[in-house]
Amino acid sequence: MTTILTCPFKKLPTTSKWALRFAVQTKTKKTLAKPNIRNVVVVDGVRTPFLLSGTSYKDLMPHDLARAALTGLLHRTSVPKEVVDYIIFGTVIQEVKTSNVAREAALGAGFSDKTPAHTVTMACISANQAMTTGVGLIASGQCDVIVAGGVELMSDIPIRHSRKMRKLMLDLNKAKSMGQRLSLISKFRLNFLAPELPAVAEFSTSETMGHSADRLAAAFAVSRLEQDEYALRSHSLAKKAQDEGLLSDVVPFRVPGKDTVTKDNGIRPSSLEQMAKLKPAFIKPYGTVTAANSSFLTDGASAMYYEEKALAMGYKPKDFMYVSQDPKDQLLLGPTYATPKVLEKAGLTMNDIDAFEFHEAFSVKFWQILKAMDSDFFRNYMGRKNQGDQVGLPPLEKFNNWGGSLSLGHPFGATGCRLVMAAANRLRKEGGQYGLVAACAAGGQGHAMIVEAYPK
């Protein structure tokens, strides 16, 4: 997905279509705008359809998807390429041939070779980091128009030779004589050929997120049924949103040599009875996290335009917060830590938020947020021991109403932009003013951001 960020003093051409699309009548709440500080505005954002890995995108490279998102953004907004000052993309598992995927995608999409681009990585909040880096560049006066986005292609991940084999090959490359080469070759053993497979696991603990999710479910007494019920809700709401055309950030992508992909393909409402038949995926045989209540490996890209702009339309990414904590026992608790902090920083309460968009790595995430914010954990770990310190609970009727990562998919590097555009589009559709976006990430990190509808 990609996003456009802009500033008030950068005038985009009047032919741009974005202003009408993002016009919204907001409620009469206070604005978070601060005097003498640039307003950073989300102009528009798009994403390729998010697909299950191993399906239609399997023969592509990450920069192909990122290029498609950038091209789709240009077509959607009609903003000329030359007004973009900088491009930033997030990604997690890098393709070695295109380590700076932002630059390769930008060149492929026809942006000027004079437009700088760089790539960031922060696990599942890589796109979030790309967006907030863009916000910082605009707020500091370095840039006026930024494109931020993210991409992930789980269909094709780098698999390395073993370290012993790599060392042998490097030494052979340096050998200066036949004798040196033969001596090195004599050290070769068959086990050198065993490949190193990447794992979605914590380097510091060697545990997968699924293990952490199972432990979290046990710690907060989240049952298997509760997790399955929430997963079914996510898929059902996503299917409803898809059928009603609410997922308007999706742009068609013609896969070379194949048909045009027009929608996400991981949305699959099932039944609690069918979901109950699945075996635990991580902690066997007693775990409660399964393939049905976990997000799936996904391919996809997103892109957004940001600018500082005087026109009273668009959406403003305002206060944001990054947090980190113990990557073993609190790996997935980033949103729980970040949400009260970003609300406090913005001077808002849960009641002020009109649309919540939280990353659904696992179903247990929703229940953990509810139970952690109303438990001894919140009082003990968050330092909120006094009566009235609690921030309250996000109401279910405002939470991920168009589906989430469980159903729409989770391309690691691209999800952050999808969350922001989901919040912005919901505010536009529902006439709300404030959206709250939050996500967890590997390493025990997390991010939360307030998005405000630009007042008329």
Side-chain angles (χ1 to χ4, degrees):
M1 186 149 200
T2 50
T3 309
I4 304 180
L5 292 174
T6 73
C7 66
F9 307 114
K10 187 74 173 183
K11 301 294 185 181
L12 292 185
T14 56
T15 55
S16 176
K17 304 173 185 175
W18 67 270
L20 178 62
R21 188 165 46 252
F22 271 117
V24 63
Q25 181 63 52
T26 63
K27 299 176 183 177
T28 55
K29 297 177 183 177
K30 67 176 182 179
T31 178
L32 299 184
K34 299 178 178 65
N36 303 318
I37 295 180
R38 286 179 144 199
N39 278 319
V40 182
V41 181
V42 178
V43 177
D44 209 340
V46 303
R47 62 183 177 91
T48 67
F50 286 179
L51 303 187
L52 290 154
S53 64
T55 57
S56 294
Y57 296 157
K58 64 181 180 180
D59 296 325
L60 302 179
M61 292 178 64
H63 79 285
D64 293 320
L65 292 178
R67 181 182 67 238
L70 288 171
T71 303
L73 184 66
L74 292 170
H75 289 165
R76 171 75 62 89
T77 61
S78 299
V79 172
K81 303 183 188 80
E82 58 269 17
V83 306
V84 176
D85 299 312
Y86 207 102
I87 298 171
I88 312 165
F89 259 69
T91 196
V92 179
I93 301 179
Q94 291 189 345
E95 163 61 55
V96 294
K97 294 180 179 178
T98 56
S99 56
N100 186 2
V101 70
R103 176 64 169 172
E104 304 305 332
L107 292 174
F111 283 88
S112 169
D113 57 9
K114 303 296 189 296
T115 304
H118 81 267
T119 302
V120 297
T121 186
M122 201 174 182
C124 298
I125 52 176
S126 294
N128 308 61
Q129 185 57 248
M131 288 185 292
T132 56
T133 299
V135 169
L137 287 171
I138 292 174
S140 66
Q142 295 295 313
C143 297
D144 290 323
V145 180
I146 294 286
V147 170
V151 63
E152 209 69 46
L153 186 72
M154 296 302 295
S155 290
D156 182 27
I157 55 179
I159 299 174
R160 305 197 301 178
H161 283 293
S162 69
R163 190 177 189 90
K164 290 180 179 178
M165 190 65 189
R166 298 199 306 270
K167 185 177 183 303
L168 177 62
M169 294 169 71
L170 289 171
D171 288 344
L172 279 170
N173 192 50
K174 296 176 184 177
K176 300 184 180 303
S177 67
M178 182 60 70
Q180 290 176 334
R181 293 189 183 93
L182 291 173
S183 176
L184 288 168
I185 291 172
S186 69
K187 298 176 182 179
F188 170 78
R189 300 293 182 270
L190 280 178
N191 64 4
F192 285 17
L193 296 176
E196 287 184 2
L197 300 175
V200 184
E202 294 294 303
F203 180 80
S204 57
T205 65
S206 298
E207 283 191 346
T208 67
M209 275 195 173
H211 286 92
S212 296
D214 254 324
R215 192 162 53 250
L216 202 64
F220 288 99
V222 181
S223 70
R224 164 76 179 269
L225 178 59
E226 286 175 316
Q227 294 175 65
D228 286 351
E229 286 176 337
Y230 183 78
L232 181 58
R233 173 187 185 270
S234 181
H235 280 273
S236 299
L237 289 176
K239 184 67 167 65
K240 182 174 183 290
Q242 188 178 67
D243 290 345
E244 294 178 359
L246 299 177
L247 304 181
S248 57
D249 55 336
V250 177
V251 292
F253 175 35
R254 180 168 180 76
V255 181
K258 298 182 181 179
D259 293 335
T260 298
V261 181
T262 61
K263 61 183 182 179
D264 309 315
N265 72 355
I267 302 174
R268 298 178 178 179
S270 180
S271 67
L272 292 176
E273 292 73 24
Q274 288 297 113
M275 296 167 76
K277 295 177 181 179
L278 296 181
K279 296 180 180 180
F282 301 99
I283 297 180
K284 304 172 182 179
Y286 303 113
T288 57
V289 176
T290 70
N293 55 44
S294 307
S295 57
F296 48 88
L297 296 180
T298 316
D299 301 334
S302 56
M304 301 172 72
Y305 266 124
Y306 285 73
E307 69 168 6
E308 187 197 5
K309 194 157 187 66
L311 292 178
M313 295 176 185
Y315 293 88
K316 298 182 287 187
K318 302 302 295 184
D319 291 299
F320 57 85
M321 179 71 61
Y322 286 93
V323 297
S324 61
Q325 53 277 334
D326 173 21
K328 182 174 177 63
D329 294 324
Q330 299 183 21
L331 176 65
L332 301 173
L333 292 174
T336 305
Y337 280 93
T339 295
K341 291 183 178 181
V342 78
L343 286 170
E344 185 176 11
K345 183 179 179 184
L348 299 175
T349 68
M350 282 287 198
N351 292 333
D352 293 314
I353 305 302
D354 302 296
F356 293 87
E357 285 294 332
F358 280 43
H359 167 44
E360 301 169 346
F362 302 91
S363 284
V364 71
K365 287 290 301 170
F366 170 74
W367 294 108
Q368 163 261 307
I369 291 167
L370 290 188
K371 297 188 179 188
M373 288 188 176
D374 191 31
S375 67
D376 288 338
F377 171 88
F378 193 85
R379 291 181 281 275
N380 295 335
Y381 286 91
M382 298 293 296
R384 310 261 175 157
K385 298 179 183 292
N386 299 322
Q387 188 68 25
D389 281 350
Q390 285 72 28
V391 297
L393 304 177
L396 184 61
E397 66 270 16
K398 296 182 180 180
F399 196 90
N400 290 14
N401 285 1
W402 294 353
S405 300
L406 287 168
S407 49
L408 301 173
H410 173 39
F412 299 152
T415 289
C417 289
R418 181 195 66 76
L419 293 171
V420 169
M421 285 312 304
N425 286 331
R426 283 181 56 197
L427 292 178
R428 174 180 60 83
K429 177 73 173 177
E430 299 161 8
Q433 182 173 349
Y434 292 121
L436 175 56
V437 171
C440 61
Q445 303 187 104
H447 172 254
M449 175 190 284
I450 304 289
V451 179
E452 180 184 2
Y454 211 115
K456 280 191 172 184

